Amino acid sequence: RKEVEQDPGPFNVPEGATVAFNCTYSNSASQSFFWYRQDCRKEPKLLMSVYSSGNEDGRFTAQLNRASQYISLLIRDSKLSDSATYLCVVSSGRDKFYFGSGTKLNVKP
Amino acid sequence: GAGVSQSPSNKVTEKGKDVELRCDPISGHTALYWYRQRLGQGLEFLIYFQGNSAPDKSGLPSDRFSAERTGESVSTLTIQRTQQEDSAVYLCASSRGNRGNEQFFGPGTRLTVL
C-alpha cells in the first residue's frame, strides 16, 4: 500500500468553480502535512501547510482528518492560473516526506 | 535569500557514461533530499541527508546510484553506467531539518540518456 494516495484526475472545472481534492495516508503516526503545487516542467512549490484545526489562505482551505487519515484541499473561485498538479505530502516527523502522485487540475475559461 | 540551486539544468549523455549532478541547498538547511521524477509521474524518493547522521539511502534504485554531502553544504548525486531508464528530472530539496519544516525545491536537472 502506498504511503500517500491521491486521485490523479484530471479535474476539469470552469473558472469560478469550487473544487476539492482529497488525499489519504497510511501511517497513523504521521505528524506533518502539506499541499504543494507543481506546474508543468517546474519544481514543486509549497502551497500551504495543513494544521490540525484546518487553515485557510485566501481562496484555499486545507483540512486534516486524523481519524480517517485524510487531508483535503478546497479551492474556491478557481482561476485559470490555478491549473497545475497538486501534490499531497505527509511526513512521519523524522524528516522523511512522502509525496502523493498528484492531482491534476485544469481550469477552463 | 538564495534558494536551492542545481546544476547542470540539463544533461544529455550516452548510455553507459557516468554523470554527476550537483545541489546547493539553502544556507542553514540541515536536511537535504534527492528525488527522481519521470515524465508524467510523481516524485520518487532517492536519498536523504540530515546533518552528520548517516544518510537514508533506502530509495536508491540500484548500486549505480550514490550520493554524497559534505557537512551541511553541497551534495552530489552520481549515476554510474547510465541506462535509458535513468532519464528523468532529478530534484533536490532542502529543509531546516526540524520536524514539520517544509522542503524547498531546486529547479531540477533534466537528464536524458541516449
Side-chain angles (χ1 to χ4, degrees):
Chain A
R1 183 182 173 186
K2 289 183 180 179
E3 293 280 345
V4 179
E5 300 210 48
Q6 293 183 253
D7 180 344
F11 284 62
N12 298 308
V13 303
E15 270 187 291
T18 296
V19 61
F21 312 133
N22 281 345
C23 157
T24 58
Y25 60 94
S26 61
N27 184 353
S28 61
S30 297
Q31 299 287 334
S32 304
F33 309 87
F34 308 91
W35 283 102
Y36 277 72
R37 169 192 171 129
Q38 186 173 27
D39 292 289
C40 188
R41 299 175 77 86
K42 297 285 190 181
E43 72 273 23
K45 293 186 177 178
L46 179 70
L47 178 65
M48 59 197 303
S49 301
V50 186
Y51 304 123
S52 297
S53 55
N55 48 302
E56 187 174 310
D57 183 1
R59 297 181 295 108
F60 299 85
T61 301
Q63 294 200 317
L64 167 64
N65 184 319
R66 285 192 184 271
S68 300
Q69 293 182 209
Y70 76 84
I71 67 174
S72 64
L73 177 68
L74 181 78
I75 306 175
R76 289 182 299 278
D77 189 23
S78 300
K79 311 291 185 191
L80 294 176
S81 57
D82 294 335
S83 296
T85 296
Y86 291 84
L87 305 173
C88 170
V89 184
V90 175
S91 172
S92 63
R94 294 184 181 180
D95 290 315
K96 187 79 175 283
F97 290 77
Y98 298 93
F99 282 74
S101 298
T103 297
K104 187 171 176 60
L105 172 66
N106 295 317
V107 181
K108 308 288 189 180
Chain B
V4 178
S5 61
Q6 292 186 245
S7 61
S9 55
N10 282 284
K11 177 72 177 177
V12 180
T13 190
E14 294 180 346
K15 179 181 172 181
K17 300 281 189 182
D18 297 352
V19 295
E20 188 173 278
L21 313 180
R22 176 186 168 110
C23 172
D24 283 86
I26 293 172
S27 177
H29 280 193
T30 60
L32 186 148
Y33 307 78
W34 282 99
Y35 296 90
R36 177 170 72 179
Q37 188 172 33
R38 294 194 168 108
L39 187 64
Q41 304 295 313
L43 272 71
E44 179 184 356
F45 167 77
L46 296 178
I47 188 169
Y48 156 58
F49 296 90
Q50 171 57 57
N52 294 318
S53 302
D56 178 348
K57 303 180 181 181
S58 60
L60 295 178
S62 78
D63 59 8
R64 297 187 295 105
F65 288 71
S66 63
E68 293 184 351
R69 187 184 187 195
T70 305
E72 295 182 354
S73 60
V74 171
S75 175
T76 56
L77 176 70
T78 301
I79 308 173
Q80 295 178 308
R81 306 181 302 282
T82 53
Q83 304 294 313
Q84 287 183 331
E85 65 261 28
D86 298 335
S87 296
V89 175
Y90 290 82
L91 290 160
C92 174
S94 70
S95 78
R96 289 193 182 88
N98 294 324
R99 193 174 72 181
N101 277 302
E102 65 267 23
Q103 298 177 70
F104 295 86
F105 282 83
T109 294
R110 185 173 302 277
L111 174 65
T112 303
V113 182
L114 301 176

